[in-house]
Amino acid sequence: MKLTLKILIFSASVIFPQYAGYHLNSHSISGELIKAAGVVHLADVIKLNPRWHSYSIDGYNSYISANNLSPYQRQNFTVLVDNQKVYLNHLGYSNIDLLPFSADQIDSVVFVNSPIVLNGEFSSNGLIHIILKKPVEGLSISAVQNIGNETGDPGPYAFTPYKTPNVDKLSYNAGLNLTTTGDGWWFSSDFKYRETYVTNKKIFMRIKNLSPNEKAQLLGASFRLSTNIFNGNHSFFFGYSQHDDFFFFRPYGNELPVQRIFKHIGIDGNFDINQEITVRYELTEGLNDFIERSNKINLNFDLKSYSLSGKLEGIFKRGHFKALVGISLLKHDGYRSGYNNDIKFRFMNLYSILNYRLNKNYYQTIGYYGVKNREKLVHKGFFNNSWQIDNQNSIAFDLSFSQSHFNENINYWVWTQSGADILFPDLLDYEFTLNKSAFSAFAIDLSYIFSYQKYKVVFGSNYRFFKDYYLETPIYTYNNNNETYSSLFALSENERLNTAGLYTEFSHALSRIFSYELIYNFIKTLNGTNNFKEKWKEFPGHKINFRININTSQNFGIWTNFRYQSSTQWLEYKYIEAQSYGKYKNKIDADFFIDLSFQKWLWERRIWLNLLFMNILGRQEYSHPLGAYSDFRMLLQINLYLNL
């Protein structure tokens, strides 16, 4: 087994080869960084890209927003795994941790920070492409196990000055990977298990109000097969996950005990007709299902959604010119127990990309993407310029415009409007009237990169204009008798917003042993409707990360992250501080945290150990007003790699 230690590139905007599909405004996270940072849960990779935002209520499941492109209410960012789209969005929530493999199997993650067309998808709300490791020659086995503890755990600290109630739920994680290779093919399989318990008092009472148990469990399995036949490469990917969890349903304002089922079956590949013409295809089927889990009020919270997608692309390349034309068909079918009418959505997408090089250093790409649903056609498009000025300086400029159907969101409002009464009128008080017209977004991104020897400087800016959006405008009230929430839920239409952001990054590799990186991200609303401006206050206006990496040898490394973020404010919880007598607040104060990660290879690099200390200052770390806070906590990972 051949393993080498690479110098970490923390998180950089990258220049990809011509026609690779990415461009300067993309952001690559290497597998080496993911390991060095001690990442356990897949969603935690988001935190390594400061231009993306996330929050968590239970400390594990995350809500995500990409680079100033959408509010948290729009959880329909695109997720690709080895070029195949996976349909994670269910009832307006995309849980990346449902993907049935462990973080240690990731080779790299590419974040597309601006709208472009990639693999037949238009990244209006950002795109995450997870590239998994390819097997080494022969038969290989790897395993990962993780355990955690924190100062808030009363166990070993019960008789010390650190004795406190539990702060959040601790987890146990395990994974197993088996791979083998042959002549022109390889096979890989993954198994994943996670177990958590509700221990945080702030969410414990809400969950116990409905659920007779307090345990969450995630089980996943997948396998991949790749082969080089028929003058091309073809890949098959199957994944299945079952998650017994407590789903925080925004309209309800509390956690609902549900069993979530996720399934993906996909095949993609390409045929080289000749040196200039290639045909690419992709066929995927997805299942997202909420199944009733034992609860105290016999609440039947279920919705099954099938997704079927087919894509066909023709690619022509000659010299400095490339053209792509594609068509994709997508359908979503929904079923709910107790309802006779099945709900169906049909989309047809037509898209094209033209990429040309005016000279060896100047690239231009223009793309169009049309979406047809129920006889209505909406348009999306982008224009990208990439200029390699010289060996040290590069500039990229992105311009995009996108219209979106109301039905493209596939959230609980879409299902409810179409006949699946998923909002429980007996439990919820909500107002719901929409004209379902298309809404639009306009985006500009500008990036500059200077690279000289061991130095790299990145400057980026963005501008967004959103028009005719609809927004959720709930108001939550606190119930002191059972520590739960009630909501008056409404939608507002014709919302608009102008917002801008700045991003800068400075990195320096002093030597093979020591490197560091300073990253600053800033966003600000310029003008717009009050509801939209209030939604942008849920993002920190300032984020600073200072990361240090020390590799004293090929077998030992230290990674440190000093992180700061400014305050956030959540209008929908504006009354909870008074109603809960200060127990909950709708504002999360600015704060500063330090994480420290140690990694060590043993047994000729067959065993990898990681010890992660998070929030070593012991501050109360929140990301949502109703969420658990985290104190100082420790996580230990053990990975085993065997090549037989």
Side-chain angles (χ1 to χ4, degrees), residues 8 29 37 49 86 132 138 142 148 168 202 221 239 247 267 278 409 437 447-448 459 473 511 549 562 590 608 635:
L8 290 179
I29 305 293
N49 181 1
V86 292
L132 299 178
S142 65
D168 62 4
K202 288 190 174 182
F247 173 60
I267 184 171
T278 300
N409 287 317
S437 60
S447 302
Y448 166 75
F459 293 104
T473 55
S511 65
N549 184 61
F562 302 85
W608 178 80
L635 295 170

Side-chain angles (χ1 to χ4, degrees), residues 31 100 164 174 203 227 242 327 389 468 524 578 584:
T164 61
I203 62 177
T227 181
Q242 176 180 306
I327 182 172
I389 301 173
D468 298 327
K524 181 177 177 59
Y584 296 92

Side-chain angles (χ1 to χ4, degrees), residues 129-319:
H129 189 184
I130 300 175
I131 303 167
L132 299 178
K133 294 177 180 178
K134 304 298 185 292
V136 297
E137 185 176 351
L139 176 64
S140 298
I141 301 174
S142 65
V144 58
Q145 183 171 325
N146 164 265
I147 56 176
N149 204 346
E150 61 177 320
T151 56
D153 184 354
Y157 306 98
F159 304 102
T160 74
Y162 298 104
K163 177 184 177 182
T164 61
N166 280 350
V167 173
D168 62 4
K169 56 183 183 182
L170 303 177
S171 68
Y172 169 80
N173 301 270
L176 179 67
N177 172 260
L178 302 173
T179 66
T180 186
T181 61
D183 185 12
W185 63 272
W186 58 260
F187 173 84
S188 177
S189 61
D190 286 280
F191 303 91
K192 172 181 176 178
Y193 178 78
R194 185 175 85 184
E195 188 176 275
T196 58
Y197 290 88
V198 179
T199 57
N200 175 257
K201 283 191 172 182
K202 288 190 174 182
I203 62 177
F204 179 83
M205 292 303 297
R206 296 200 303 265
I207 289 176
K208 292 297 289 183
N209 185 58
L210 283 181
S211 176
N213 60 69
E214 56 202 57
K215 179 180 177 180
Q217 196 173 46
L218 172 63
L219 181 65
S222 65
F223 67 83
R224 296 176 289 144
L225 175 65
S226 178
T227 181
N228 298 319
I229 56 175
F230 305 128
N231 203 31
N233 177 261
H234 311 272
S235 299
F236 178 81
F237 174 41
F238 170 82
Y240 179 89
S241 293
Q242 176 180 306
H243 194 192
D244 296 335
D245 196 23
F246 308 100
F247 173 60
F248 184 85
F249 191 43
R250 272 180 51 80
Y252 186 49
N254 301 281
E255 288 80 1
L256 297 174
V258 296
Q259 182 181 93
R260 171 79 182 270
I261 302 295
F262 164 77
K263 183 176 72 174
H264 171 87
I265 303 174
I267 184 171
D268 74 291
N270 58 77
F271 301 92
D272 292 329
I273 305 301
N274 54 43
Q275 291 184 346
E276 295 182 335
I277 300 176
T278 300
V279 175
R280 180 184 177 270
Y281 69 92
E282 180 181 324
L283 181 63
T284 60
E285 181 185 36
L287 168 67
N288 283 281
D289 193 7
F290 276 140
I291 299 175
E292 180 182 358
R293 191 181 177 194
S294 177
N295 63 81
K296 297 179 180 179
I297 60 174
N298 296 319
L299 181 66
N300 186 16
F301 186 77
D302 69 325
L303 178 68
K304 181 180 293 184
S305 172
Y306 289 101
S307 302
L308 181 64
S309 173
K311 300 174 185 175
L312 185 64
E313 299 176 353
I315 305 167
F316 174 79
K317 294 184 291 185
R318 175 177 290 177

Side-chain angles (χ1 to χ4, degrees), residues 400-413:
S400 69
F401 171 79
S402 63
Q403 295 176 311
S404 298
H405 288 288
F406 170 76
N407 289 340
E408 284 186 72
N409 287 317
I410 309 295
N411 57 19
Y412 36 78
W413 300 112

